[in-house]
Amino acid sequence: MIKALFAAGPDRWDTYASPLKAAFEGAGLEADLRQDFAPEEVDYIIYAPHSDLQDFRPYTRCKAVLNLWAGVEKITGNATLTQPLCRMVDPGLTQSMVEWVTGHVLRYHLEIDRSVALQDRWLPYVPPLAEERPVTILGLGELGQACATALTRLGFPVSGWSRTAKDLPGLSCHHGTNGLRDALASAQIVVLLLPDTPQTANILDSNSLGWLPQGARIINPGRGPLIDDAALLTALDIGPVDHATLDVFRVEPLPEDHPYWAHPRVTVTPHIAAETRPLTASRVIAENIRRGEAGEAFLYVVDRDRGY
Ligand code: NDP
């Protein structure tokens, strides 16, 4: 019997216990799923960073730690974690990120705020077609590529930027430091879908924000530290940035006195772009346990040196 420890906080147990059990059954696994085991008995840990479990050393037979979240910045630095760490790549989460990003891109593209503000005046305004509105996505991983595909289907010319070189159909791909400048130079809308690592911290700072064309819009569902907040506020006040939609912040919840709340050209959303969906995510976890038991390679293993 496989012993799977659910270390993701008691509040999530009610949501995850039955989809996980069903997914284990569906994968043909005989597994005992609990919130409490003697550490030396545990085969797999299903994990969320808010859990009390911070010392992985007693989990001597644990074959993998299966993170419930896509982002792993809160766990990659944990020196006690020597077991393989798998991050979450969940079709439900990906779909919700695609919907959120597409919605906010279309809000900017169609100037929806303008129509809402002009409810008492007849001022016809014809937005350009999507093909005239270049969008750049920073980060071409699971989520960046899925959003790029959806936006390309709508007709937007999409550029992307990643660490390593890529050749993706229908996308203009850039990489490395020089590539960032090219990726930003033509972007009317920029979407950040990078992980939080030492290399991506403040990737949008006063220097790189200056590469954007006048009137650019920024959408950040990635992580707060990707943006130098003071530099963004300056770029909003004196250009080139016209508006920013921010879902993630250095400190969450965003402190009440943070200037983003009151800024007329910032939209704050409370880290809701894409939540892990228990039904689909449970199947991903079960598949990884099945692989572990069959001696196959785990899916979505985090490279701890790279940080994602
Ligand atoms: P992936 O690991 O699949 O993709 C990460 C992408 O970022 C890759 O294309 C990678 O490049 C690129 N990248 C990493 N480091 C650098 C760098 N130094 N320079 C340039 N590019 C870099 O991650 P996901 O797409 O699954 O997720 C992205 C992030 O989205 C998560 O880390 C998380 O922070 C955030 N997120 C936010 C949610 C929300 O609700 N707001 C929900 C879920 C995720 P390469 O391809 O070359 O490796």
Side-chain angles (χ1 to χ4, degrees), residues 30-287:
E30 272 190 46
D32 186 7
L33 175 72
R34 289 198 229 159
Q35 291 177 281
D36 202 13
F37 278 115
E40 64 281 4
E41 290 180 339
V42 171
D43 296 302
Y44 297 91
I45 301 175
I46 298 160
Y47 189 73
H50 306 295
S51 142
D52 292 338
L53 201 174
Q54 296 299 328
D55 184 358
F56 292 89
R57 285 170 300 184
Y59 295 86
T60 45
R61 63 176 280 166
C62 173
K63 295 173 200 155
V65 173
L66 308 168
N67 203 44
L68 278 181
W69 308 153
V72 289
E73 70 281 356
K74 290 197 168 70
I75 184 176
T76 42
N78 187 328
T80 70
L81 177 63
T82 52
Q83 299 85 347
L85 169 65
C86 303
R87 69 191 198 90
M88 179 50 69
V89 175
D90 161 28
L93 181 152
T94 302
Q95 176 61 22
S96 65
M97 184 62 85
V98 167
E99 291 175 11
W100 190 89
V101 166
T102 306
H104 285 281
V105 165
L106 286 173
R107 172 190 171 202
Y108 283 144
H109 171 60
L110 299 173
E111 307 287 357
I112 288 174
D113 289 13
R114 184 185 169 123
S115 313
V116 171
L118 294 175
Q119 276 307 288
D120 54 353
R121 271 168 290 167
W122 186 267
L123 286 174
Y125 164 76
V126 181
L129 290 173
E131 66 190 43
E132 299 162 82
R133 183 84 76 186
V135 177
T136 286
I137 302 182
L138 304 185
L140 285 175
E142 296 288 338
L143 300 177
Q145 285 194 37
C147 292
T149 303
L151 294 170
T152 305
R153 283 200 190 118
L154 286 172
F156 292 99
V158 180
S159 299
W161 182 70
S162 52
R163 189 178 56 84
T164 55
K166 292 198 194 307
D167 182 10
L168 299 168
L171 292 191
S172 179
C173 296
H174 305 269
H175 72 282
T177 314
N178 294 338
L180 180 61
R181 190 182 188 128
D182 295 337
L184 293 179
S186 63
Q188 289 188 20
I189 300 173
V190 179
V191 180
L192 286 94
L193 278 168
L194 294 161
D196 175 9
T197 70
Q199 289 71 37
T200 61
N202 294 323
I203 204 77
L204 287 190
D205 61 6
S206 54
N207 191 36
S208 55
L209 285 165
W211 298 335
L212 288 165
Q214 197 61 37
R217 279 81 176 264
I218 291 173
I219 300 175
N220 185 16
R223 282 292 182 262
L226 301 175
I227 297 181
D228 174 336
D229 295 323
L232 176 58
L233 287 163
T234 303
L236 282 159
D237 290 339
I238 65 167
V241 179
D242 174 71
H243 200 283
T245 296
L246 309 173
D247 185 56
V248 283
F249 305 90
R250 283 188 157 73
V251 178
E252 294 180 4
L254 184 64
E256 275 174 31
D257 59 351
H258 198 285
Y260 283 149
W261 282 118
H263 201 289
R265 283 181 290 112
V266 173
T267 296
V268 170
T269 61
H271 199 145
I272 43 96
E275 182 72 21
T276 304
R277 306 287 158 152
L279 196 67
T280 42
S282 294
R283 293 185 195 132
V284 177
I285 300 254
E287 168 60 9

